């Protein structure tokens, strides 16, 4: 038997009580509190971002070519910003009136005004601009681009000035499909998912030089990634069939693994409770992570098909999940209270 098959066969599935779609038991960690309709939005979503000052959620409606803006206190959409092709990720910075939006279309990445909620300037990012990671300490943004998404034989990793949108550094990466990133500020290492290689590339955060590549046995289509510096570990989720791997962030060795929903787009770590939140195709799972690196599934909430994008709001008391329109239904944002 191959190593990958042996590794996957060792993954233990945790049993949980039956949960009705969108509802949980009274004692559960997550409970659905409201659904905010996004009428007229068709197709899938990509990432979400939160404006703490305005209490607004920005949603990249990737297939619709818009950025949707939801006012949480009003529980309503307040704007639909058009002019995009395939928006993917957004950067909102405290005190800044501009929002950086990556779009994989040619010349489609742009700055949005957080005041008037309109596009104000196009950005000259590489074709296929997709994932972003903000380094607040140095006020710089890492952006992935290129690759198979735009029919290119390699990918691009860029370092962007978030004030101007100008490219400070750009390198070519020998991978076809780059996915989300994580940053270890203490060692100045940037972790980048090479989804087509089932591996994580480790770059120097300043020079963007590739330092090493870690293959993950049993992993396919790795995407969500979270760095836990306190415990020297890296959480990586592989989408096919859906497995969370816990890696030693110093060596890349696999410490633990557990099944997740298939094809998730996001993952959040609440360090105060040692919980991971992973939305995938058909369910939103909550895991407890122990200091020993053991991971246990503690709640599974059944969700609609393709509801794979969500995030934990600052403070860790609420979770937002983007739900695409089903046949005869309406796209919406589900808000869960977290206990």
């Amino acid at each position: 038997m191959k190593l990958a098959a042996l590794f996957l066969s060792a993954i233990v599935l945790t049993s949980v009580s039956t949960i009705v779609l969108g509802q949980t038991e009274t004692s559960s960690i997550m409970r659905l509190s409201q659904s905010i309709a996004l009428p007229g939005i068709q197709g899938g979503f990509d990432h979400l971002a939160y404006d703490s000052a305005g209490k607004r959620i920005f949603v990249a409606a990737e297939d619709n070519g818009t950025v949707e803006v939801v006012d949480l206190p009003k529980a309503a959409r307040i704007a639909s910003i058009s002019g995009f092709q395939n928006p993917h990720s957004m950067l909102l910075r405290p005190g800044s009136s501009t929002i950086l939006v990556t779009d994989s279309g040619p010349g489609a990445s742009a700055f949005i005004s957080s005041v008037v909620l309109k596009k104000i300037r196009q950005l000259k990012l590489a074709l296929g601009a997709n994932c972003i990671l903000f380094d607040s300490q140095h006020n710089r943004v890492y952006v992935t681009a290129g690759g198979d998404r735009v029919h290119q034989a390699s990918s691009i990793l860029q370092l962007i000035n978030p004030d101007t949108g100008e490219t400070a550094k750009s390198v070519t990466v020998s991978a076809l499909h780059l996915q989300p990133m994580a940053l270890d500020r203490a060692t100045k290492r940037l972790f980048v998912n090479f989804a087509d290689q089932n591996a994580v590339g480790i770059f120097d955060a300043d020079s963007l030089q590739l330092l090493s590549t870690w293959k993950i046995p049993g992993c396919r289509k790795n995407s969500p990634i979270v760095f836990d510096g306190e415990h020297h570990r890296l959480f990586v989720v592989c989408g096919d069939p859906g497995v969370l791997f816990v890696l030693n962030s110093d060596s890349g060795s696999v410490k633990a693994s557990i099944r997740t929903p298939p094809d998730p787009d996001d993952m959040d770590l609440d360090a105060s409770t040692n919980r991971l939140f992973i939305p995938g195709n058909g369910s939103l799972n909550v895991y407890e992570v122990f200091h020993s690196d053991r991971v246990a599934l503690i709640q599974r909430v059944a969700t609609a098909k393709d509801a794979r994008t969500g995030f934990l709001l600052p403070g860790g008391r609420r979770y937002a999940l983007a739900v695409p329109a089903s046949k005869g239904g309406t796209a919406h944002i589900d808000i869960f209270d977290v206990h």
Side-chain angles (χ1 to χ4, degrees), residues 60-114:
E62 177 182 7
D63 295 334
N64 201 62
T66 59
V67 172
E68 304 298 308
V69 188
V70 172
D71 185 301
L72 270 183
K74 294 179 181 178
R77 176 175 59 189
I78 57 173
S80 182
I81 306 172
S82 59
F84 292 97
Q85 184 169 322
N86 297 114
H88 296 293
S89 302
M90 296 155 292
L91 172 64
L92 282 75
R93 294 177 296 150
S96 174
S97 61
T98 58
I99 301 168
L100 189 154
V101 182
T102 59
D103 191 306
S104 55
S109 297
F111 274 137
I112 288 174
S113 167
S114 62

Side-chain angles (χ1 to χ4, degrees), residues 15-75:
S15 61
V16 293
S17 57
T18 302
I19 299 174
V20 180
L21 179 64
Q23 297 179 338
T24 64
E25 296 176 341
T26 304
S27 60
S28 294
I29 295 161
M30 302 188 70
R31 287 186 294 204
L32 181 66
S33 60
Q34 60 184 158
S35 291
I36 304 171
L38 298 175
I41 302 301
Q42 300 298 319
F45 295 103
D46 213 332
H47 299 290
L48 296 80
Y50 185 61
D51 169 22
S52 296
K55 294 182 173 56
R56 299 175 296 183
I57 295 176
F58 288 74
V59 187
E62 177 182 7
D63 295 334
N64 201 62
T66 59
V67 172
E68 304 298 308
V69 188
V70 172
D71 185 301
L72 270 183
K74 294 179 181 178

Side-chain angles (χ1 to χ4, degrees), residues 36 62 70 84 109 116 141 148 197 212 225 231-232 261 274 304 316:
I36 304 171
E62 177 182 7
V70 172
F84 292 97
S109 297
V116 298
V141 186
D148 56 0
Q197 299 177 16
S212 59
I225 185 170
H231 302 100
H232 294 262
N274 292 314

Side-chain angles (χ1 to χ4, degrees), residues 2-338:
K2 293 182 178 179
L3 176 61
L6 281 169
F7 200 90
L8 285 173
S9 67
I11 296 170
V12 179
L13 295 178
T14 306
S15 61
V16 293
S17 57
T18 302
I19 299 174
V20 180
L21 179 64
Q23 297 179 338
T24 64
E25 296 176 341
T26 304
S27 60
S28 294
I29 295 161
M30 302 188 70
R31 287 186 294 204
L32 181 66
S33 60
Q34 60 184 158
S35 291
I36 304 171
L38 298 175
I41 302 301
Q42 300 298 319
F45 295 103
D46 213 332
H47 299 290
L48 296 80
Y50 185 61
D51 169 22
S52 296
K55 294 182 173 56
R56 299 175 296 183
I57 295 176
F58 288 74
V59 187
E62 177 182 7
D63 295 334
N64 201 62
T66 59
V67 172
E68 304 298 308
V69 188
V70 172
D71 185 301
L72 270 183
K74 294 179 181 178
R77 176 175 59 189
I78 57 173
S80 182
I81 306 172
S82 59
F84 292 97
Q85 184 169 322
N86 297 114
H88 296 293
S89 302
M90 296 155 292
L91 172 64
L92 282 75
R93 294 177 296 150
S96 174
S97 61
T98 58
I99 301 168
L100 189 154
V101 182
T102 59
D103 191 306
S104 55
S109 297
F111 274 137
I112 288 174
S113 167
S114 62
V115 179
V116 298
L117 299 179
K118 292 182 180 179
K119 284 180 65 173
I120 55 175
R121 182 159 64 88
Q122 287 186 316
L123 301 178
K124 296 180 180 179
L125 302 185
L127 181 66
N130 182 19
C131 303
I132 62 175
L133 177 66
F134 180 49
D135 178 1
S136 59
Q137 183 179 353
H138 298 97
N139 192 41
R140 57 192 184 185
V141 186
Y142 300 95
V143 178
T144 65
D148 56 0
R149 182 177 283 103
V150 288
H151 310 292
Q152 294 183 350
S154 58
S155 296
I156 298 170
L157 181 60
Q158 293 183 295
L159 197 54
I160 306 297
N161 183 323
D163 295 319
T164 65
E166 297 297 320
T167 301
K169 194 177 293 292
S170 180
V171 296
T172 300
V173 181
S174 297
L176 286 175
H177 199 81
L178 301 185
Q179 284 288 51
M181 301 164 279
L183 179 64
D184 179 358
R185 292 183 177 87
T187 63
K188 295 186 178 181
R189 290 179 303 158
L190 178 69
F191 303 98
V192 183
N193 271 314
F194 292 1
D196 61 303
Q197 299 177 16
N198 311 320
V200 175
I202 298 89
F203 292 80
D204 180 277
D206 294 330
S207 68
L208 301 188
Q209 177 186 356
L210 180 62
L211 304 175
S212 59
T213 303
W214 294 340
K215 288 279 188 179
I216 306 176
C219 174
R220 290 188 293 272
K221 298 181 180 179
N222 44 310
S223 183
I225 185 170
V226 170
F227 173 65
D228 177 6
E230 181 181 356
H231 302 100
H232 294 262
R233 56 195 177 193
L234 194 67
F235 301 103
V236 180
V237 179
C238 300
D240 181 13
V243 183
L244 166 66
F245 290 91
V246 184
L247 307 184
N248 181 302
S249 62
D250 297 321
S251 66
S253 62
V254 176
K255 309 297 289 184
S257 64
I258 191 171
R259 290 292 296 269
T260 71
D263 201 22
D265 255 5
D266 288 308
M267 171 170 51
D268 284 279
L269 171 66
D270 182 356
S272 66
T273 59
N274 292 314
R275 291 173 181 164
L276 282 168
F277 299 79
I278 303 176
N281 199 347
S283 71
L284 168 59
N285 287 11
V286 185
Y287 300 85
E288 184 170 358
V289 185
F290 299 89
H291 294 321
S292 63
D293 296 326
R294 186 173 66 87
V295 182
L297 175 64
I298 54 177
Q299 187 180 4
R300 177 187 290 129
V301 179
T303 62
K305 182 182 178 182
D306 296 328
R308 303 179 294 109
T309 303
F311 74 129
L312 191 66
L313 274 65
R317 302 305 299 272
R318 288 185 295 178
Y319 188 93
L321 180 70
V323 182
S326 58
K327 187 176 181 180
T330 301
H332 57 279
I333 303 296
D334 278 345
I335 306 296
F336 294 86
D337 291 332
V338 181

